[in-house]
Amino acid sequence: MPSLLHPDQTQSSLTGLKPGEFFVLGSAANADIRLTADGVAPRHARITNDNGLYTLAPLSPKSPVFLNDQYVDPDGHPLVSGDKIQVGEWSLVFDDSGALPSGESTAGRETFAKRRKDDSTLTDFERLKRKIHSALIERMNLRGMETSSPDELRLRTDRFILSLIEEHREELRQAGIQAETLRRDLLQLALGYGLLDDLLADPQVSEIMCLGDGRIYIEKKGKITLADRKFDDPAELRTIIERIVGPIGRRIDESSPIVDGRLPDGSRINAVVEPIALDGPTLDIRKFTANQLGIDDLIQGDSLTPQMAAFLELAVRYRQNVIVSGGTGSGKTTLLNILSSFIPADERIVTIEDSAELRLRQDHVVRLESRPVNIEGKGEIPIRTLVKNALRMRPDRIVVGECRGGEALDMLQAMNTGHDGSLTTLHANSPRDVISRLETMALMSGLELPQRAIRQQIASAVNLVCHQSRLPDGSRRIVSIAEVMPSPDGEDLALRDIYCFRRTGIDKATGRILGHYEYTGVVPAFIEILRASGIPFDESIFAATPAAP
């Protein structure tokens, strides 16, 4: 019966752990094995049942775990009966006298060993970096690190690194390794996000994609290219992933191998590890733009014309319900943020998002964010719950970052019950697909509604669809602004393009997509209402054909 023997001779049983499950050791009240003493983090370490083989791994990058007086790296280490585990001031003994037969445990250890890059395949630089990093964690007194300022922590760590590099100066000289390069890499690995720090700081990089084999791809100006660096060891990437998900109270391991979240600066992250990620851990970061774009930036970037921009501002100000559609990475959230800026400052706005990205400048804004399940598998608060709750908050406008499921029906009902001028986004390949996507998502609500009723809801709720695309040359353009119209018999819905982008070819020299924007001659219903009401607006937005970019 696997268990931990405490110094007071009491035992904490590890039975009940199914393959892939784990116990958390730490000072938190909800830790599976609570250890209250100096130097113990709230979630300090975990012991995992890895198909009969129990493994120990740290959970906090600032709180090391030692096994038989040796530092345990983020990949973890298998446990055998009699192993001594050091957690802060606690010394524990692992006992698996009732575990699997030795033959099965040995096989498990062989499987575990394959997860790490074999030391024999490492370059001299990789070997020395791993060696000094392990020594750094083992030597530093990390107690009290949580209260240190970032500058103090960096200075202290740098001093230890310089001292360790000096001790290994001869090895560096023989291998031809630059001390400054090693120092930089160790600082990034110990305190930041390793090789990703420079990429995160580069304003031209909009997305970072890390693969299990160590390669890193980046997106610049809409184009994906291979970065000039790679991870030498999957353990480095796993360390970064653990460093990201730890502070947000999430876990990532064999039993919960997928995590969504965000960095402190608002950048969205998605991490996937084994066994789902067959070739090793992967990490995707969609960076948050600190410098918020405005409508003028989109005009300068040829995403739309001044006439289209003025039309969208008019539509938002006069409370048209707008859906921004498009594919992944097409710029939907950026456009939604810009459209939201047109909402008058004296209105109460409630924003609802999976990961908070919207940055509204109005004063009266209530921001809500969904919550995933916690480490106990409880506590989830989905978008749909937040949409329902928003209706009780007396909003003038509701802005939903993205509709993905049954919340679409709640959003349609909100648009139909006095919350005109609401905004949201959804994934769709074309403006025509928006209607079918809305119908499908409404059915995901669980209510058995006839298709005719759903279409009537859509027809009366949605006024405009603004479709954004990322073209093959990397440019992002609003390719259609269309009005939603019911058919005369009420059985179907149609989209009437008001503005559209017409592609005419490709510049062979630069690969740039050629084309121009057109006004189709369609006058939407709300414009006719403004005219009938005598509300003035700039009629030039309906020029026959705006100038081509």
Side-chain angles (χ1 to χ4, degrees):
M1 179 182 295
S3 61
L4 287 180
L5 182 64
H6 296 205
D8 58 5
Q9 301 305 305
T10 61
Q11 284 191 331
S12 294
S13 175
L14 302 178
T15 57
L17 278 183
K18 298 177 182 178
E21 294 183 343
F22 62 86
F23 277 168
V24 171
L25 288 69
S27 59
N30 61 350
D32 299 300
I33 300 176
R34 192 178 186 191
L35 305 172
T36 54
D38 289 341
V40 180
R43 299 180 73 249
H44 198 112
R46 67 167 178 249
I47 294 178
T48 305
N49 179 352
D50 197 355
N51 294 317
L53 170 69
Y54 288 84
T55 61
L56 172 71
L59 286 176
S60 173
K62 296 181 180 179
S63 304
V65 181
F66 298 92
L67 179 64
N68 300 324
D69 298 322
Q70 297 294 316
Y71 164 71
V72 180
D73 67 26
D75 254 9
H77 198 281
L79 293 169
V80 295
S81 189
D83 275 344
K84 177 184 174 183
I85 301 170
Q86 188 75 31
V87 177
E89 293 186 352
W90 282 88
S91 293
L92 312 171
V93 177
F94 179 73
D95 177 16
D96 73 342
S97 55
L100 294 176
S102 59
E104 294 184 50
S105 295
T106 301
R109 291 186 182 88
E110 290 175 355
T111 302
F112 181 89
K114 293 177 183 178
R115 297 179 186 169
R116 294 213 55 182
K117 191 172 182 178
D118 191 343
D119 281 353
S120 64
T121 67
L122 298 175
T123 65
D124 289 338
F125 182 85
E126 295 167 0
R127 179 180 54 79
L128 263 176
K129 184 166 73 171
R130 178 184 286 183
K131 181 178 179 181
I132 295 177
H133 181 247
S134 296
L136 172 70
I137 299 298
E138 183 174 351
R139 185 173 300 185
M140 286 184 69
N141 179 11
L142 296 174
R143 189 178 304 165
M145 294 272 278
E146 298 289 346
T147 60
S148 300
S149 70
D151 290 341
E152 291 173 338
L153 182 58
R154 186 176 184 85
L155 181 61
R156 182 180 175 189
T157 306
D158 193 29
R159 286 173 178 168
F160 272 98
I161 290 174
L162 288 173
S163 173
L164 288 165
I165 286 177
E166 188 59 35
E167 291 179 17
H168 296 82
R169 179 70 64 177
E170 183 59 26
E171 290 182 70
L172 267 69
R173 187 191 64 78
Q174 292 179 1
I177 296 172
Q178 294 292 325
E180 188 58 33
T181 302
L182 184 59
R183 174 190 179 187
R184 181 200 64 202
D185 281 15
L186 286 168
L187 263 175
Q188 291 178 332
L189 185 59
L191 299 178
Y193 300 124
L195 298 179
L196 307 184
D197 278 345
D198 294 342
L199 299 177
L200 287 167
D202 188 342
Q204 293 187 328
V205 175
S206 57
E207 192 148 353
I208 303 169
M209 294 150 276
C210 307
L211 303 186
D213 61 5
R215 288 177 296 159
I216 303 172
Y217 284 88
I218 59 175
E219 182 186 66
K220 279 188 176 183
K221 298 180 180 179
K223 286 290 188 179
I224 297 176
T225 58
L226 183 65
D228 59 355
R229 67 199 70 187
K230 66 177 296 187
F231 289 104
D232 300 320
D233 190 339
E236 289 186 27
L237 178 55
R238 186 64 179 264
T239 298
I240 292 171
I241 292 174
E242 294 278 3
R243 189 166 296 162
I244 290 172
V245 304
I248 61 177
R250 305 293 302 279
R251 75 182 193 197
I252 186 163
D253 49 45
E254 290 82 357
S255 63
S256 182
I258 301 175
V259 166
D260 285 308
R262 72 173 188 270
L263 298 178
D265 69 354
S267 298
R268 294 169 60 178
I269 68 102
N270 175 266
V272 185
V273 299
E274 305 90 337
I276 301 300
L278 301 181
D279 299 319
T282 68
L283 174 66
D284 292 272
I285 302 175
R286 183 172 297 177
K287 288 175 58 180
F288 174 76
T289 304
N291 297 323
Q292 187 173 320
L293 298 178
I295 194 67
D296 290 338
D297 296 299
L298 297 191
I299 294 172
Q300 292 174 9
D302 294 336
S303 291
L304 76 172
T305 64
Q307 291 88 345
M308 295 165 66
F311 172 79
L312 288 173
E313 181 175 0
L314 193 66
V316 173
R317 286 189 178 277
Y318 287 98
R319 308 184 68 85
Q320 297 301 288
N321 294 320
V322 181
I323 291 181
V324 177
S325 61
T328 302
S330 61
K332 297 187 300 298
T333 302
T334 298
L335 180 57
L336 181 66
N337 205 65
I338 292 172
L339 294 182
S340 299
S341 70
F342 297 143
I343 298 174
D346 60 350
E347 296 189 19
R348 175 175 169 87
I349 308 168
V350 178
T351 68
I352 301 169
E353 301 175 82
D354 262 334
S355 295
E357 295 179 280
L358 296 175
R359 294 293 185 270
L360 274 63
R361 297 174 181 173
Q362 294 89 336
D363 291 331
H364 200 166
V365 178
V366 179
R367 303 172 66 214
L368 304 179
E369 184 179 44
S370 66
R371 187 175 71 184
V373 295
N374 58 23
I375 60 174
E376 299 173 347
K378 302 176 181 178
E380 181 183 16
I381 301 178
I383 288 284
R384 187 173 187 191
T385 299
L386 296 180
V387 172
K388 291 179 178 179
N389 186 75
L391 299 177
R392 306 185 185 103
M393 302 176 72
R394 201 264 176 223
D396 290 306
R397 311 271 190 139
I398 298 175
V399 180
V400 178
E402 182 179 346
C403 281
R404 297 179 180 174
E407 68 272 6
L409 181 61
D410 300 294
M411 187 70 184
L412 291 173
Q413 290 175 339
M415 291 175 172
N416 275 322
T417 53
H419 299 92
D420 295 335
S422 295
L423 309 169
T424 190
T425 75
L426 61 80
H427 282 273
N429 294 325
S430 71
R432 311 297 166 186
D433 290 338
V434 171
I435 304 302
S436 59
R437 285 275 292 144
L438 278 173
E439 291 177 0
T440 301
M441 288 189 293
L443 291 172
M444 292 170 65
S445 67
L447 299 178
E448 296 183 3
L449 296 174
Q451 191 176 45
R452 179 186 176 90
I454 295 175
R455 287 181 176 173
Q456 288 175 342
Q457 285 275 332
I458 296 172
S460 58
V462 181
N463 302 118
L464 299 173
V465 172
C466 187
H467 190 75
Q468 180 124 343
S469 290
R470 182 172 61 177
L471 302 182
D473 62 358
S475 64
R476 293 174 171 88
R477 295 179 184 267
I478 296 176
V479 297
S480 172
I481 300 175
E483 183 180 28
V484 179
M485 297 291 294
S487 63
D489 58 6
E491 292 291 337
D492 205 352
L493 294 173
L495 290 178
R496 299 195 305 169
D497 281 329
I498 304 168
Y499 298 94
C500 60
F501 177 71
R502 305 292 187 191
R503 292 173 57 167
T504 58
I506 299 177
D507 187 325
K508 294 182 179 180
T510 63
R512 179 178 171 81
I513 301 294
L514 302 177
H516 61 275
Y517 295 99
E518 290 182 355
Y519 167 58
T520 64
V522 170
V523 178
F526 87 96
I527 292 294
E528 297 289 8
I529 295 174
L530 294 183
R531 285 173 175 167
S533 303
I535 298 174
F537 62 91
D538 186 0
E539 293 278 357
S540 68
I541 62 176
F542 298 120
T545 303

